[in-house]
Amino acid sequence: MVSQRRFCHFANGHMNLNELLDQTAVRVPQQPALVEENAVVSYGELARQVNELAERLSALRMDPGRRVGLAFPNSGTYVALTFALWRLQVVVVPVPTECPEEEILEISEAMQLVGILTPQARCECECIAPGCYFTSLNPLAAPDNHGLNLAFIRFTSGTTSARKGVALSHETIRDRVRSANKAFGISGEDTVIWCLPMAHHFLITIVLYIEAGATLVLARHVTAKPFLDAVNRWQGTVLYAAPFHYAMWARDGSPVQIPSVRLAVSTTCALLESVAQDFFKRFGRPLVQGLGVIELGLVALNTAAPREKWSSVGRVAGDFELRIDTPDVTGCGELAVRGPGICDAYVAPWVAQEQMLRDGWFFTGDLGRLDPEGFLYLLSRKTAVINLAGRKVFPEEIEAVLNRHAAVSESRVYGRLHPHLGETVEAEIVLSSPEAKLDALPAFCREHLAAYKIPTRFTSVAALPRTPGTGKILRAAPVA
Amino acid sequence: MIAAQEIESKLLDFLKREVFAPEVALHPETDLVAEGFDSMSLVRVLLFLEQSYGFWIPEGEITGDALQNIRSLASTAARVLNAR
């Protein structure tokens, strides 16, 4: 049972996302919230777990506004810890589990983390619960959140001049979740079968499901048979996955159907027509594309015409407005968006929301066009971020590592379009001397970068392409 | 014709070097999923095979049976590759 005392906990004028969980736990305490392997956790039980973890974490005396890294794989504990930290008004910074130690250190320093939560014990850590350890870190200074009621910072790596981290307050997350659900239409009747990494996807998905009182089933296996079996066993109604997953499930050659699914959202990278068609032929359901932007939330979702306009990310979603800025003769221009749930700031260096907007509009860096019926088509990007099967890869971060190697004079990292994965990471290297070789670079990258960021191809070049005038390394859309 | 054994040996080397932590004692019959082989590991294996042999294993071939261990993965890859 959720005690009334918990609601009083937030009576300090600040909104807290735990209100969403607590309201669901009071409304439908017996409703399954999370299913992991064979264990089912109800909303009442989840709220109780969150309270218990919050009490244990409070013994660590973390002040509100302090930032904690969360380096957990997908699990019920991941969800409970996030809400427990929020309950203490602590800011959650997801740390992908694939990060090597050096990267964890970089995130810790840049985000001024007061500690990090991990499933394995690290040296000099405290056990919070079985399989949950807190390692204290000592940031040089307490972070300045500029008076915002921050809940979450998504770390985005880059060079020292790049903006590191997108910060969101409790209120902003609530607003973007509510806006997104006007498009998703998730309710307590829904069961979501989940397979994407929570460290990369959490707010307009997991938080939204919790507010709606939906059931979240954590699928451990993503290959067709166990995944489709999980969908049928738990009567999944919503799928949220990458084109790569949908291709696997549609082409497994078995006769298994998934009649309970009402919505299958394809996210993370552009959907290939062959995958959209194969999925429809196999399951009689269209794949729905959407556009999620880290600074904005869910901007568009194609629930209106997913068959007829399969390559569109749909009409504008929820309470957002969008426009194409300075379109060319074909109608193509940069996508600008305004509406609720725009991120509150960039962190390190701090850039307040009003500074990142132009006349109230956020410029996404995506190039696109709108058809006469308001369906949005994305054409390419102005930004150089590489999207590898749903993981964002920042070229500058990889170049910074490569440039430290003695064989490298300078480097350029870029994305190459891949039919199944969105993009892959490749690097062009200007060697430091005629004797220098590329051979040692993969191993060097492995020491310093998460595995998915390591270029799959290194090419030696005489010089890097540069922009005329400024002479900066040319950043372009991914190459085909 | 490429022997499954050759692919197995390359895969074992790749997984040891680039996917699993050094403390995992990997052999051709190690249960991959039990050792933490996830969606991203799979992407990296598929990319490795594409780069080494110039083909992408069709998604329909990526089954639980194929991913059981390195041996089954190599045998799937060899079958697909040799059928081309």
Side-chain angles (χ1 to χ4, degrees):
Chain A
M1 192 67 197
V2 181
S3 74
Q4 200 60 35
R5 189 171 66 87
R6 293 293 158 200
F7 291 105
C8 301
H9 184 76
F10 310 124
N12 56 1
H14 291 305
M15 190 263 158
N16 189 299
L17 288 164
N18 273 272
E19 290 165 24
L20 309 187
L21 169 62
D22 288 346
Q23 282 159 11
T24 304
V26 166
R27 195 173 73 243
V28 283
Q30 303 302 326
Q31 166 91 347
L34 285 161
V35 178
E36 197 174 1
E37 298 289 335
N38 288 315
V40 180
V41 174
S42 68
Y43 272 99
E45 173 63 14
L46 177 61
R48 196 194 60 74
Q49 285 180 7
V50 169
N51 283 341
E52 200 176 299
L53 281 170
E55 261 163 43
R56 292 185 188 184
L57 287 166
S58 69
L60 300 169
R61 302 181 184 285
M62 284 180 278
D63 293 330
R66 288 300 186 119
R67 303 167 184 172
V68 168
L70 184 58
F72 264 74
N74 280 6
S75 56
T77 310
Y78 191 111
V79 178
L81 278 171
T82 301
F83 278 86
L85 290 165
W86 285 343
R87 199 154 281 236
L88 302 173
Q89 305 280 358
V90 168
V91 184
V92 175
V93 181
V95 178
T97 49
E98 58 268 21
C99 286
E101 198 58 33
E102 182 176 316
E103 217 176 317
I104 294 175
L105 208 64
E106 187 200 347
I107 297 175
S108 305
E109 279 177 21
M111 296 295 103
Q112 298 169 286
L113 301 185
V114 71
I116 183 162
L117 284 159
T118 54
Q120 283 94 29
R122 294 159 66 91
C123 53
E124 292 180 37
C125 61
E126 287 190 52
C127 182
I128 305 299
C132 177
Y133 299 88
F134 181 83
T135 308
S136 285
L137 303 166
N138 294 306
L140 294 174
D144 181 359
N145 294 336
H146 297 251
L148 290 169
N149 179 26
L150 286 192
F152 189 90
I153 300 175
R154 161 91 56 225
F155 179 75
T156 49
S157 191
T159 58
T160 46
S161 61
R163 293 152 178 173
K164 291 179 179 177
V166 172
L168 297 150
S169 67
H170 287 261
E171 294 83 353
T172 297
I173 295 170
R174 175 200 57 199
D175 291 350
R176 69 163 57 177
V177 159
R178 290 187 175 164
S179 171
N181 210 23
K182 288 183 180 172
F184 286 130
I186 303 284
S187 75
E189 304 289 304
D190 279 312
T191 296
V192 184
I193 313 293
W194 184 260
C195 67
L196 294 177
M198 289 181 182
H200 296 263
H201 305 263
F202 197 84
L203 304 179
I204 57 166
T205 49
I206 311 289
V207 178
L208 187 157
Y209 308 148
I210 284 173
E211 183 180 31
T215 299
L216 182 67
V217 177
L218 306 182
R220 185 166 172 233
H221 302 278
V222 297
T223 52
K225 189 173 185 314
F227 188 86
L228 298 176
D229 285 350
V231 174
N232 285 322
R233 179 179 176 196
W234 301 102
Q235 291 291 291
T237 59
V238 175
L239 309 181
Y240 191 85
F244 169 66
H245 297 117
Y246 288 115
M248 242 184 339
W249 305 331
R251 297 168 181 167
D252 77 328
S254 85
V256 176
Q257 289 297 307
I258 42 174
S260 55
V261 172
R262 69 165 183 86
L263 177 67
V265 179
S266 175
T267 182
T268 75
C269 65
L271 179 64
L272 278 183
E273 182 171 14
S274 61
V275 176
Q277 299 295 4
D278 286 356
F279 191 85
F280 186 80
K281 269 188 224 148
R282 168 70 194 279
F283 299 113
R285 274 160 182 70
L287 285 178
V288 168
Q289 286 208 86
L291 172 65
V293 179
I294 191 167
E295 288 93 342
L296 302 167
L298 183 76
V299 172
L301 190 71
N302 189 3
T303 43
R307 277 287 287 154
E308 305 78 0
K309 303 188 184 207
W310 66 269
S311 62
S312 167
V313 293
R315 289 192 177 119
V316 67
D319 303 319
F320 281 106
E321 290 174 75
L322 59 83
R323 69 179 173 85
I324 302 296
D325 186 61
T326 53
D328 63 15
V329 286
T330 66
C332 174
E334 185 173 359
L335 176 64
V337 181
R338 71 178 173 194
I342 295 180
C343 72
D344 295 272
Y346 288 121
V347 184
W350 190 270
V351 179
Q353 191 194 68
E354 51 273 24
Q355 293 168 271
M356 69 175 84
L357 304 181
R358 274 189 268 160
D359 298 326
W361 292 85
F362 181 84
F363 284 72
T364 62
D366 289 310
L367 296 176
R369 68 175 176 84
L370 286 167
D371 76 5
E373 292 173 296
F375 284 81
L376 176 65
Y377 294 80
L378 293 178
L379 302 168
S380 65
R381 286 196 318 263
K382 283 176 78 178
T383 57
V385 181
I386 301 163
N387 190 338
L388 168 66
R391 259 65 165 198
K392 298 276 189 287
V393 180
F394 296 85
E396 297 90 342
E397 179 194 7
I398 301 165
E399 288 162 6
V401 168
L402 288 168
N403 294 348
R404 277 162 32 203
H405 194 277
V408 177
S409 166
E410 55 179 354
S411 59
R412 183 178 84 118
V413 170
Y414 56 93
R416 179 175 294 278
L417 289 174
H418 189 282
H420 302 272
L421 303 173
E423 292 164 56
T424 55
V425 183
E426 298 196 356
E428 287 177 337
I429 308 289
V430 178
L431 291 168
S432 56
S433 71
E435 298 76 38
K437 297 257 187 304
L438 297 173
D439 307 1
L441 296 179
F444 185 71
C445 286
R446 278 197 294 279
E447 279 173 42
H448 303 286
L449 291 166
Y452 68 92
K453 298 176 183 171
I454 301 169
T456 46
R457 182 170 288 137
F458 295 87
T459 313
S460 170
V461 294
L464 298 178
R466 292 185 181 277
T467 54
T470 63
K472 286 183 180 168
I473 291 178
L474 189 67
R475 304 278 174 207
V479 297
Chain B
M1 187 88 175
I2 294 181
Q5 218 170 3
E6 181 200 319
I7 301 179
E8 181 182 300
S9 141
K10 273 196 171 190
L11 271 176
L12 181 64
D13 183 47
F14 171 76
L15 287 163
K16 271 186 181 169
R17 199 179 60 232
E18 302 210 7
V19 176
F20 288 96
E23 57 268 23
V24 178
L26 215 55
H27 56 82
E29 288 177 358
T30 303
D31 181 339
L32 292 176
V33 174
E35 292 294 346
F37 188 88
D38 60 10
S39 189
M40 204 62 211
S41 318
L42 174 59
V43 163
R44 298 185 51 237
V45 163
L46 294 175
L47 272 173
F48 169 72
L49 289 171
E50 186 180 44
Q51 226 185 356
S52 307
Y53 298 103
F55 79 108
W56 181 261
I57 296 192
E59 285 81 359
E61 298 283 351
I62 306 165
T63 62
D65 285 347
L67 291 185
Q68 213 171 15
N69 53 44
I70 297 170
R71 184 151 294 156
S72 57
L73 195 52
S75 126
T76 305
R79 182 169 47 73
V80 173
L81 183 61
N82 292 324
R84 291 169 85 230

